[in-house]
Amino acid sequence: KAGVTQTPRYLIKTRGQQVTLSCSPISGHRSVSWYQQTPGQGLQFLFEYFSETQRNKGNFPGRFSGRQFSNSRSEMNVSTLELGDSALYLCASSLARTGSYEQYFGPGTRLTVT
Amino acid sequence: TQLLEQSPQFLSIQEGENLTVYCNSSSVFSSLQWYRQEPGEGPVLLVTVVTGGEVKKLKRLTFQFGDARKDSSLHITAAQPGDTGLYLCAGWVTGGGNKLTFGTGTQLKVEL
């Protein structure tokens, strides 16, 4: 079974631009969560989607948004990029949306904002 | 406020040594996981512990969940260079839905 895939793997943007990242979950997984990882803040939860609906949201500004499609694939968008948005963005999928289900992470998208 | 504090933050040891990483919180977790992450990759799940007091062994790795489900430890016996990586604990706060809270991380380097 194929793992979680994320595209692109690397991205360089300039301040003020917007960016869209893509995540394809493991086949059969319906829950997709997004995380931001930085050296200073570690891994922080952005949001979770299940059945095309955002079910949970972390403490991030409205510039960060996402969506999920009927095939469970998910995208996240960051508008008006800031230097502090430079990070590894990780997507994780799981079978369902309760805490007892394990999450499987993709390799991440490394975003650099200049 | 970081819900899960890990210690130590950095650990550099020689091959063959033993080590313990701690994950502590003031919150109760319905379950707790340990991950290992290598540079440029996403975290890989090592184990999930669910019951207070539970001990799980994975080859040379031993994981323990505290009785009160507020803390956990990871013990590695006879560390090898292949154990090098960032170790992360993560848990679901009771009633927190599917929001996984990660610890601060422990960077382990095992040298020959």
Side-chain angles (χ1 to χ4, degrees):
Chain A
K1 186 185 279 190
V4 178
T5 58
Q6 292 187 245
T7 56
R9 290 293 309 273
Y10 303 93
L11 204 50
I12 300 175
K13 292 284 189 179
T14 56
R15 278 180 298 176
Q17 289 186 314
Q18 74 166 14
V19 66
T20 299
L21 312 180
S22 181
C23 170
S24 292
I26 292 172
S27 178
H29 285 194
R30 298 172 63 191
S31 172
V32 174
S33 298
W34 288 89
Y35 297 84
Q36 181 196 64
Q37 186 174 30
T38 60
Q41 298 298 317
L43 257 160
Q44 293 186 293
F45 174 81
L46 279 158
F47 29 64
E48 179 224 350
Y49 286 87
F50 182 81
S51 295
E52 302 177 63
T53 302
Q54 187 181 94
R55 300 290 186 165
N56 217 336
K57 190 176 189 303
N59 189 26
F60 278 82
R63 300 185 297 108
F64 292 81
S65 63
R67 59 177 175 169
Q68 187 179 33
F69 302 95
S70 58
N71 61 359
S72 293
R73 190 177 70 86
S74 177
E75 290 181 347
M76 68 162 281
N77 183 277
V78 188
S79 62
T80 320
L81 284 166
E82 301 177 359
L83 294 178
D85 298 333
S86 294
L88 181 67
Y89 289 88
L90 293 159
C91 154
S93 75
S94 62
L95 273 172
R97 64 171 307 273
T98 64
S100 59
Y101 285 94
E102 299 173 352
Q103 294 194 356
Y104 296 85
F105 283 82
T109 294
R110 172 72 63 185
L111 172 65
T112 302
V113 182
T114 62
Chain B
T1 303
Q2 187 62 256
L3 282 180
L4 281 167
E5 296 286 344
Q6 286 183 237
S7 61
Q9 187 177 358
F10 299 98
L11 197 52
S12 182
I13 61 173
Q14 298 296 311
E15 183 181 17
E17 291 184 26
N18 301 332
L19 67 114
T20 301
V21 177
Y22 299 94
C23 174
N24 294 292
S25 175
S26 57
S27 301
V28 175
F29 291 89
S30 57
S31 63
L32 199 140
Q33 297 181 326
W34 285 91
Y35 292 83
R36 181 171 68 216
Q37 185 179 20
E38 298 188 18
E41 299 296 328
V44 175
L45 179 66
L46 296 174
V47 77
T48 301
V49 286
V50 179
T51 306
E54 181 177 4
V55 177
K56 279 192 174 180
K57 291 191 176 183
L58 183 67
K59 297 183 181 178
R60 294 176 293 101
L61 279 60
T62 301
F63 304 87
Q64 186 164 5
F65 200 13
D67 292 339
R69 292 186 291 135
K70 292 183 178 181
D71 55 86
S72 181
S73 64
L74 157 61
H75 182 80
I76 301 179
T77 302
Q80 298 176 358
D83 296 327
T84 294
L86 177 66
Y87 287 81
L88 296 157
C89 64
W92 281 275
V93 176
T94 303
N98 211 19
K99 177 181 174 181
L100 193 59
T101 298
F102 278 85
T104 48
T106 295
Q107 185 66 54
L108 171 64
K109 184 176 182 181
V110 183
E111 298 181 286
L112 290 169

